[in-house]
Amino acid sequence: MSNIDKSAGAMRRLWIGRSQHLASGLISLALTLFGLLVFTFLLSRAAPIDPALQLVGDHASEETYQQARHELGLDESLPMQFLHYLGRLTHGDLGMSQLSQQPVLNDLMRTFPATIELATCAMFFGAFFGILFAILAVYKPGSWLDQLARFISLLGYSVPVFWLGLLGLLLFYATLHWSAGPGRLDDIYTYTMTQDSGFVLLDAFRSGDINIIKNAIAHLWLPVAVLALLSMASITRLLRAVMLEESNKEYVILAQAKGAGRLRILLVHVFPNVLGTLITILALSYTGLLEGAVLTETVFAWPGLGRYLTSALFASDTAAVLGATLLIGTCFVLLNALADILTKWVDPRTR
């Protein structure tokens, strides 16, 4: 057999292996999403709230109540109800919100961009400063830089987010007047600026009005700072631990014996080897910001998914709660799948 045939056979086996791995990953992703659908459906049926009774009210007649159960499909078997649930999902039907009297899908499309905007900005600053503090801490373990990084991590983990948000409003809004306060925009701009994308900062820049841009940033920076501190704390702590463990391996000791500087070793040798772990940390942190911004959005009156979910829970709005839960769960699954793909791409050891 010639060398060309051997190379072609090796390439064929490589592509077959990668195709099988990709197919396995897609099947795993599909099964995970299906399991999420089953969970949300069973959760809706296990909830101590009767959708039919909630629809017709406590004083409705038995005939009206039974008619509502029939229209909602609650008089059918559980497997048939699940099939109807899947059918409605394929058409984007998540039900009607009792709170807003609007389709849940429309509510999610209105509120989710606000949460994405808040979480993405917080993630950007949290990741930047979290990685920076972790590298500085590992550069000189036990130094004041390391102690500062550990203190910030402890602060981010220990301080309740609602208390930190209220304290920030008291200091930067009520006292120093550095922040524009709760909400996304002042009322004068809310009703005069065209909001097509749902991302206020993007729409503000598209408007070209410097006053709107300043107002949007003034409303955004404080809740972003609160969430960024939480994200930075987890990123700093986890990345510091991983880099310290990696710094004790033989290739680092060999590089030190050859006279390489500490900073060069961290940036050139250690950091690339923990990049796959860092991607996983960032994905988990970003997912946590998407689903964990409930208290922050409540404190800052931020009209995002977290505040919408809180209002739906207090109003016992089952359709809204399940729609928001399904959206958050889907984001969690997809972000973890993306992190897995990126990890395999940057770290050959995981392939």
Side-chain angles (χ1 to χ4, degrees):
M1 183 180 294
S2 65
N3 292 332
I4 297 178
D5 293 335
K6 291 181 179 179
S7 299
M11 288 296 297
R12 190 182 305 110
R13 288 191 297 271
L14 177 63
W15 280 108
I16 291 175
R18 289 185 175 180
S19 300
Q20 290 176 345
H21 181 75
L22 178 61
S24 176
L26 291 176
I27 292 174
S28 176
L29 178 61
L31 290 176
T32 305
L33 291 175
F34 181 76
L36 177 64
L37 292 177
V38 173
F39 173 76
T40 55
F41 172 77
L42 295 178
L43 184 65
S44 66
R45 296 302 179 262
I49 300 172
D50 191 340
L53 186 62
Q54 189 180 31
L55 180 64
V56 300
D58 296 333
H59 302 289
S61 63
E62 181 65 22
E63 181 181 355
T64 304
Y65 172 72
Q66 293 299 333
Q67 183 179 357
R69 282 183 56 84
H70 177 71
E71 291 177 355
L72 294 174
L74 298 177
D75 55 349
E76 298 180 346
S77 63
L78 201 61
M80 288 302 299
Q81 291 182 41
F82 181 67
L83 289 177
H84 291 317
Y85 175 68
L86 292 180
R88 291 193 299 270
L89 284 180
T90 57
H91 293 86
D93 183 8
L94 295 174
M96 290 290 295
S97 171
Q98 299 294 325
L99 186 62
S100 65
Q101 296 299 315
Q102 296 289 328
V104 173
L105 182 62
N106 293 350
D107 289 343
L108 296 180
M109 292 177 65
R110 186 187 73 253
T111 57
F112 195 46
T115 298
I116 292 179
E117 183 178 46
L118 184 62
T120 302
C121 293
M123 188 66 214
F124 175 80
F125 289 103
F128 177 80
F129 289 105
I131 295 172
L132 178 62
F133 276 116
I135 293 176
L136 291 177
V138 179
Y139 176 64
K140 287 188 176 180
S143 65
W144 69 270
L145 289 173
D146 189 15
Q147 298 297 329
L148 177 62
R150 296 170 68 179
F151 172 75
I152 293 176
S153 299
L154 180 62
L155 183 67
Y157 270 105
S158 303
V159 178
V161 64
F162 68 89
W163 183 85
L164 190 61
L166 291 174
L167 185 64
L169 284 174
L170 176 63
L171 177 62
F172 296 108
Y173 171 59
T175 305
L176 299 177
H177 305 290
W178 292 359
S179 170
R184 303 179 76 186
L185 283 173
D186 289 346
D187 291 340
I188 187 174
Y189 300 123
T190 300
Y191 299 105
T192 57
M193 187 187 74
T194 303
Q195 301 184 31
D196 296 326
S197 66
F199 301 96
V200 167
L201 196 59
L202 176 61
D203 291 331
F205 278 103
R206 290 171 58 184
S207 69
D209 191 330
I210 189 64
N211 293 321
I212 298 179
I213 297 174
K214 289 181 178 179
N215 189 256
I217 295 175
H219 279 275
L220 182 64
W221 79 265
L222 187 54
V224 164
V226 171
L227 283 179
L229 178 61
L230 301 179
S231 175
M232 182 179 65
S234 62
I235 293 172
T236 300
R237 186 177 68 88
L238 295 174
L239 183 59
R240 174 185 175 276
V242 172
M243 292 187 70
L244 282 175
E245 181 182 357
E246 194 73 18
S247 298
N248 294 324
K249 293 189 175 179
E250 294 181 356
Y251 73 91
V252 175
I253 299 175
L254 178 61
Q256 290 174 342
K258 291 183 177 180
R262 177 69 175 174
L263 186 60
R264 176 180 174 80
I265 292 174
L266 291 178
L267 296 179
V268 177
H269 300 285
V270 175
F271 190 77
N273 284 331
V274 301
L275 192 56
T277 305
L278 176 61
I279 290 174
T280 303
I281 294 172
L282 294 179
L284 293 175
S285 180
Y286 186 61
T287 308
L289 291 178
L290 288 177
E291 65 182 356
V294 176
L295 293 175
T296 305
E297 291 183 356
T298 302
V299 170
F300 290 95
W302 195 265
L305 184 63
R307 192 181 178 199
Y308 174 76
L309 180 58
T310 304
S311 301
L313 285 169
F314 280 114
S316 299
D317 192 346
T318 307
V321 171
L322 292 177
T325 303
L326 181 62
L327 178 59
I328 293 172
T330 302
C331 290
F332 185 86
V333 172
L334 294 179
L335 283 173
N336 277 277
L338 178 61
D340 184 58
I341 293 173
L342 292 177
T343 300
K344 288 183 172 62
W345 181 55
V346 300
D347 192 349
R349 295 172 300 179
T350 60
R351 296 173 188 170

